[in-house]
Amino acid sequence: MTKWIPGRMKSLVTFKRKYMNSLVQSSLTNREPLKSDILSTNLSQNVEQLKTIFDRSSDIVYRDFQFGDLQKGIIVFLDGLVNMKLIDDDVIKPLLEYGKNPLSQSILCFEDLENFLRNQVVSAAQLSEGREFQEVIDHVLGGDTALIIDGVGQALFISAKEWESRSVEEPATESVIRGPRDGFTENLRTNTSLIRRRLKTHQLKMEAMKVGRLSKTDLVITYLDGIADESMVAEVRERIGRIDIDAILESGYIEELIEDNPYSIFPQVQYTERPDKVTGNLLEGKVGIIIDNTPFALIVPVTFYGMLMSSEDYYERYLISTALRWIRFTFLLIALLLPSLYIALLTFHQEMVPTTLLFSMAASREAVPFPAIIEALLMEISFEGLREAGVRLPKPVGQAVSIVGALVVGQAAVQAGLVSAPMVIVVAMTGISSFIIPSYSQAISIRMLRFPMMILAGMLGLYGILLGLLIIISHMCRLRSFSIPYLSPMSPMHFGDLKDVLVRMPWSNMMVRPEETAKKNSKRMNNSFRSRRPNGSK
């Protein structure tokens, strides 16, 4: 018993020490910075409190100054998020120059002080005020400069934001032959200005919100007032407002948190780097979501057919755009069904293959030890791996490695008798077809659906393919994107909207906007346009 007590006491002491350390760490990590505390009229107390809050933050800069003989003040800003030249020229220099004359002692209430500084001292364009420490923290961490003066229990926030950002460039993921070459950047205000340049109307609304408890990521909900459905805009606003997460690092966070069915393989929110694509969707009554720190903007609601359209469809003549759409739809079916059809025909339905072709395929498969389903799965998985490796490798060698790897591996596999030559052709055609789909997220969903379709074809033949198609179509019929049916306007049928689905009619025939999204203002073009055409045109 005497031997047990010291060991037991030692373990209890160790447990208590670990428990207290965990409490201290949790209090440090979960501590919220004094949301209810109000700025004091004592400058030294305010500075001491701010230095406690921004403890171990070497990038927080405190610059004190003095008005005349008695009045003192300090500016607080975050190094790296502000324009130092603006602070020097518009804030510090005017304050020091005015300090040569004594500051009037009657200016002690903040309203007078704010007007006095705004009109006579500080020459910055954007100024705001606040009383609480939390406001000071939010503004400073957001890139603003906080001006605090002794004797006044409020702060003046001066906007002098500037940070390193990428210049406007052509989007790498959505290149076009004909169309604008500018793309979104990681700067929120740059992205909103790109849309403002295209829509010079007061109807373009941009509502600002913040998401993320720690990141406090800025985002903008943009739409055209008078065209977008107010209930849809309210639904977007409500879904984003429900998000309660520590940080938003990219638009993918928002996309997954606001879509109707996150367990579906089909994307219900569209993302794009192109300002003209966002603008075109806004004109159809849709809503755009622009997030800071990412070049990808979100568009809601979306449909399956809308994800297959390119912005270039509306820049080329309608006959060319219609032909390109049919090619796109055809290769979509090839990307989904070609390996499955190959497996089904070779395994169950050889009588449907022409005799000469069947003999040729049988001869090429004579040395292959695997059934068609195993052969197809091996080749498709290898192709997806090579494609992913080409994306992750450095750009100078990524494309070369992926192309050379596919050629070398494919040729070596055929010579070794592991796969047949027709299978290599099928896999190559399938891979090329998946690249034709304009939306990358939609292309990934088609690529992933290819594998269960291949398994069904290997088990049931053509019946398995039909069963898989029925499951996919029934699932898509149940999907909705912000209350809009995913297969609209085909299901439910809207005959007026079919002018811009499988075909792209001339602009003179598309005088109304889509019925599902632009219920408030459906007219796009006046009917008098046709009467003003030159003689002889119809």
Side-chain angles (χ1 to χ4, degrees), residues 272-521:
T272 179
E273 286 187 86
R274 300 190 61 86
D276 58 327
K277 194 168 187 176
V278 174
T279 305
N281 282 274
L282 294 182
L283 290 169
E284 293 185 350
K286 298 181 180 179
V287 180
I289 305 171
I290 308 172
I291 301 100
D292 198 14
N293 301 320
T294 176
F296 291 96
L298 304 180
I299 302 171
V300 293
V302 295
T303 62
F304 175 76
Y305 302 102
M307 301 281 278
L308 299 178
M309 297 177 188
S310 172
S311 56
E312 198 173 14
D313 293 350
Y314 303 95
Y315 306 146
E316 292 288 354
R317 299 183 67 250
Y318 70 96
L319 290 176
I320 299 174
S321 300
T322 301
L324 292 176
R325 283 191 183 180
W326 278 101
I327 292 174
R328 209 172 290 143
F329 290 134
T330 302
F331 277 84
L332 170 68
L333 295 176
I334 291 175
L336 178 64
L337 299 177
L338 184 58
S340 306
L341 289 173
Y342 178 82
I343 294 169
L345 293 178
L346 284 188
T347 307
F348 297 99
H349 311 283
Q350 296 88 350
E351 69 279 358
M352 299 180 65
V353 183
T355 305
T356 306
L357 180 59
L358 182 61
F359 286 157
S360 175
M361 295 172 66
S364 64
R365 285 187 45 81
E366 185 176 0
V368 178
F370 306 111
I373 176 65
I374 301 299
E375 180 187 9
L377 287 174
L378 288 176
M379 286 299 296
E380 286 291 345
I381 293 174
S382 301
F383 186 85
E384 293 296 332
L386 287 172
R387 173 155 46 186
E388 187 68 15
V391 173
R392 305 303 167 196
L393 285 172
K395 287 185 178 180
V397 298
Q399 295 181 351
V401 169
S402 60
I403 295 174
V404 173
L407 293 174
V408 172
V409 172
Q411 183 65 25
V414 172
Q415 291 181 354
L418 297 178
V419 296
S420 60
M423 177 55 71
V424 176
I425 298 174
V426 168
V427 172
M429 281 296 300
T430 305
I432 293 173
S433 301
S434 63
F435 287 117
I436 296 179
I437 302 174
S439 174
Y440 182 73
S441 57
Q442 191 72 279
I444 292 178
S445 64
I446 298 299
R447 283 158 49 187
M448 294 299 103
L449 286 173
R450 186 189 308 154
F451 291 95
M453 293 294 292
M454 291 164 56
I455 296 174
L456 287 173
M459 296 172 58
L460 302 174
L462 292 179
Y463 298 103
I465 295 177
L466 292 176
L467 177 62
L469 288 176
L470 286 175
I471 295 174
I472 293 173
I473 294 174
S474 62
H475 172 69
M476 294 172 67
C477 288
R478 292 165 49 200
L479 275 183
R480 289 181 173 268
S481 176
F482 285 81
S483 303
I484 303 299
Y486 198 59
L487 291 181
S488 175
M490 299 289 287
S491 175
M493 182 68 73
H494 298 292
F495 290 99
D497 295 344
L498 296 180
K499 298 177 181 179
D500 192 23
V501 180
L502 299 179
V503 298
R504 206 276 278 175
M505 297 296 289
W507 277 112
S508 57
N509 292 341
M510 294 193 298
M511 291 183 289
V512 295
R513 298 185 176 90
E515 184 176 343
E516 288 283 357
T517 55
K519 300 177 182 179
K520 196 173 182 180
N521 181 5

Side-chain angles (χ1 to χ4, degrees), residues 87-101:
I87 294 178
D88 292 339
D89 296 341
D90 298 343
V91 182
I92 298 178
K93 187 176 179 181
L95 288 171
L96 294 179
E97 288 182 351
Y98 191 86
K100 297 176 182 178
N101 298 321

Side-chain angles (χ1 to χ4, degrees), residues 1-10:
M1 187 70 179
T2 55
K3 295 182 180 179
W4 177 82
I5 292 177
R8 182 64 173 174
M9 292 299 295
K10 184 179 180 180

Side-chain angles (χ1 to χ4, degrees), residues 166-186 189-200 272-279 295-297 311 315:
R166 184 169 54 91
S167 60
V168 177
E169 301 171 352
E170 181 178 3
T173 58
E174 297 174 275
S175 59
V176 295
I177 302 299
R178 180 177 181 177
R181 292 293 190 267
D182 55 347
F184 288 132
T185 68
E186 289 77 11
R189 283 305 162 207
T190 301
N191 297 341
T192 56
S193 65
L194 291 174
I195 299 177
R196 284 285 184 187
R197 286 178 55 190
R198 290 167 166 82
L199 294 174
K200 302 177 180 67
T272 179
E273 286 187 86
R274 300 190 61 86
D276 58 327
K277 194 168 187 176
V278 174
T279 305
F296 291 96
S311 56
Y315 306 146

